[in-house]
């Protein structure tokens, strides 16, 4: 199986979903190996690099793409199976950015408090041990944390000709910042425009649920993925499938509406797959679902609602496409 390699130049970075010309056309079934820069565009490389001096917030979360998927039309379903996520640098960076984050005054949650200190942390990657090193800035502590690569942004062009910032999560995917977006997961997105026009980026070497300070261990990433297309059946919100769970990502404000969106979609999806009455699906998921917070810092907040398939009636989402893609991935020797 041929693998298509793509590494953008800095001039080819895009910072939106929608509004950009495709960087290439790909066919369903294609395997892509895509390099993407970190959220800061490589601007933070030492603890002396401060976001106020080095980071232009108009140009963060650079995307690799968009990719035009041949045959994709509005109303179809794009499937992206994440085969492998490999850190592409030997360090990651995180930062407390003034007036940005979940535990500080922001432009939307306004207080009279001053900004938290502009601070940068550098996490050195130990590839052999599979860790990144947390080095405290204001105390004498160091910890080795497991590398758990994920993508903060996976999305398609929005509907209605909209152009949305790569900082935003919504129906089209985008900056959902969920650790569930990792190798072994298949992401299903509704197609809104001809070609789907999907992009990826915002690699994280690890991130806690919520991404509380607004930044993860941000790092350049090499992502191998398989592209597939399902005619029709576009989901209203991003759906994820792994070997053990069905998941839906809801994004909105306030946070509870993000949960409501994802929960409602999962109730309907399980009812459709299993034959359960929607009220019975609602009752069952009330007892078995989990709801990890993806982010509480972006323009919209994101929540994942997930259910273990072992606790559901027998279901086969998308006619078993996830399992088929997983087998194709194994044939590549990457997982």
């Amino acid at each position: 199986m041929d693998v298509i390699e793509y590494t953008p130049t800095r001039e080819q970075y895009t910072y939106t979903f929608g509004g950009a010309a495709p960087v290439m056309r790909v066919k369903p079934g294609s395997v892509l190996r895509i390099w993407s820069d970190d959220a800061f565009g490589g601007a933070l490389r030492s603890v002396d690099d401060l976001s106020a001096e080095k980071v232009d917030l108009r140009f963060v979360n650079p995307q690799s793409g968009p990719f035009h998927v041949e045959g994709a039309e509005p109303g179809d379903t794009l499937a992206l199976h994440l085969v492998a996520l490999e850190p592409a640098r030997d360090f990651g960076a995180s930062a407390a950015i003034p007036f940005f984050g979940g535990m500080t005054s922001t432009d939307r949650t306004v207080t009279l408090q001053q900004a938290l200190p502009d601070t940068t942390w550098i996490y050195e990657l130990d590839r052999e041990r599979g860790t990144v090193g947390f080095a405290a800035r204001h105390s004498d502590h160091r910890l080795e944390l497991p590398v758990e690569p994920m993508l903060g942004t996976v999305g398609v062009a929005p509907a209605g000709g909209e152009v949305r910032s790569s900082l935003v999560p919504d129906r089209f995917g985008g900056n959902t910042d969920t650790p569930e977006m990792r190798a072994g997961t298949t992401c299903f997105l509704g197609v809104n425009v001809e070609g789907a026009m999907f992009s990826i980026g915002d690699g994280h070497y690890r991130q806690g649920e919520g991404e509380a300070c607004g930044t993860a261990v941000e790092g350049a990433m090499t992502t191998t993925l398989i592209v597939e297309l399902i005619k029709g059946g576009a989901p209203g919100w991003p759906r994820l499938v792994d070997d053990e769970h069905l998941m839906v990502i809801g994004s909105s404000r306030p946070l509870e509406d993000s949960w409501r969106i994802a929960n409602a979609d999962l109730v309907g999806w399980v009812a459709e797959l299993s034959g359960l009455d929607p009220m019975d699906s609602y009752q069952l998921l009330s007892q078995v679902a989990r709801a990890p917070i993806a982010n509480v810092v972006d323009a919209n907040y994101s929540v994942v609602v997930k259910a273990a398939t072992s606790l559901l009636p027998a279901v086969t989402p998308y006619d078993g496409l996830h399992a088929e893609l997983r087998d194709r991935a194994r044939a590549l020797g990457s997982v």
Side-chain angles (χ1 to χ4, degrees), residues 46 68 74 78 127 153 176-177 212 244 285-286 291 293 295 330 335:
S46 83
H68 181 288
L78 179 69
R127 294 181 185 273
T153 53
T176 57
D177 285 320
E244 298 177 344
L285 288 170
S286 293
I293 296 171
N295 88 79
R330 286 175 175 163
V335 293

Side-chain angles (χ1 to χ4, degrees), residues 136-154:
R137 292 295 316 280
H138 306 293
S139 51
D140 187 21
H141 290 83
R142 182 178 176 86
L143 298 170
E144 294 298 322
L145 304 175
V147 174
E148 297 178 355
M150 54 163 281
L151 291 178
T153 53
V154 176

Side-chain angles (χ1 to χ4, degrees), residues 6-60:
Y6 178 72
T7 300
T9 64
R10 187 167 290 272
E11 291 72 26
Q12 290 174 311
Y13 293 175
T14 57
Y15 299 91
T16 62
F17 290 93
V23 296
M24 70 170 62
R25 298 172 70 98
V26 298
K27 295 179 179 179
S30 296
V31 182
L32 277 63
R33 193 166 189 264
I34 302 167
W35 186 92
S36 57
D37 208 343
D38 69 60
F40 308 117
L44 301 184
R45 293 176 174 269
S46 83
V47 296
D48 297 322
D49 292 330
L50 300 181
S51 62
E53 300 170 355
K54 298 285 187 175
V55 177
D56 185 337
L57 291 178
R58 298 173 301 169
F59 303 107
V60 294

Side-chain angles (χ1 to χ4, degrees), residues 206-289:
R206 68 168 296 116
Q207 178 209 300
E209 291 171 355
E211 198 186 24
C213 79
T215 60
V217 180
E218 310 284 346
M221 194 75 74
T222 301
T223 301
T224 303
L225 58 81
I226 304 174
V227 181
E228 267 302 349
L229 182 67
I230 302 166
K231 297 303 292 182
W237 290 86
R239 293 176 174 177
L240 306 178
V241 178
D242 65 16
D243 290 349
E244 298 177 344
H245 299 91
L246 303 182
M247 298 173 265
V248 178
I249 308 172
S251 298
S252 188
R253 284 199 184 201
L255 184 63
E256 57 265 33
D257 280 353
S258 303
W259 170 81
R260 290 187 179 105
I261 287 166
N263 199 59
D265 193 277
L266 189 60
V267 166
W269 190 16
V270 169
E272 175 190 339
L273 290 172
S274 67
L276 281 169
D277 181 88
M279 284 300 294
D280 290 324
S281 178
Y282 178 31
Q283 170 59 212
L284 176 60
L285 288 170
S286 293
Q287 313 313 326
V288 305

